[in-house]
Amino acid sequence: QVQLVESGGGLVQAGGSLRVFCAASARTFSLYAMGWFRQAPGKEREFVAAIIRSGGTTRYEDSVKGRITISRDNANNTMYLQMNSMKPEDTAVYYCAQGKTIVPAPTRDGYDYWGQGTQVTVSS
């Protein structure tokens, strides 16, 4: 059973930075793509970023390109999301997910294990 635990969320001012983490329990972490999604109140869960299993290829949702960086450390079963120049519209619960394949998919159906989420709030 794969367990994913997010951490690092919190309150940050607009223009600030925050780094969130995803710790995975399974030895299979390095075998699959990983992704970050977010869900704001009253909205659907949306794709933020994803990374191939080796870490060499990434993809991002258009609104976060240039501000957010996804990375992973397969030796420590951990994934990261570095967020800079944050905006109030980045406020959401951020979820990490393990992919079904090695390909970093931009949609929810590309993932089969999810964490419980970590709250990120950006004040204006």
Side-chain angles (χ1 to χ4, degrees):
Q1 182 71 20
V2 176
Q3 289 187 324
L4 303 173
V5 179
E6 302 92 339
S7 62
L11 176 64
V12 62
Q13 289 188 333
S17 298
L18 196 68
R19 195 182 201 194
V20 293
F21 305 81
C22 173
S25 64
R27 296 178 181 179
T28 56
F29 176 81
S30 64
L31 301 181
Y32 298 97
M34 294 291 294
W36 285 101
F37 288 73
R38 65 186 180 186
Q39 187 167 16
K43 294 189 177 181
E44 295 286 321
R45 192 173 299 187
E46 67 174 3
F47 171 73
V48 177
I51 187 166
I52 201 170
R53 67 175 182 175
S54 66
T57 300
T58 57
R59 64 189 303 174
Y60 297 92
E61 193 272 327
D62 286 344
S63 70
V64 307
K65 285 180 180 177
R67 301 190 298 115
I68 288 180
T69 303
I70 186 172
S71 60
R72 65 190 296 168
D73 178 354
N74 287 342
N76 291 297
N77 287 0
T78 304
M79 180 175 64
Y80 309 93
L81 191 70
Q82 176 67 43
M83 298 182 283
N84 301 321
S85 302
M86 296 188 73
K87 304 176 181 180
E89 50 264 43
D90 293 323
T91 295
V93 177
Y94 283 71
Y95 298 90
C96 68
Q98 180 174 296
K100 295 178 180 177
T101 71
I102 66 169
V103 178
T107 57
R108 292 178 62 179
D109 60 5
Y111 300 84
D112 51 12
Y113 294 100
W114 295 81
Q116 293 300 305
T118 185
Q119 176 70 47
V120 172
T121 302
V122 184
S123 63
S124 58

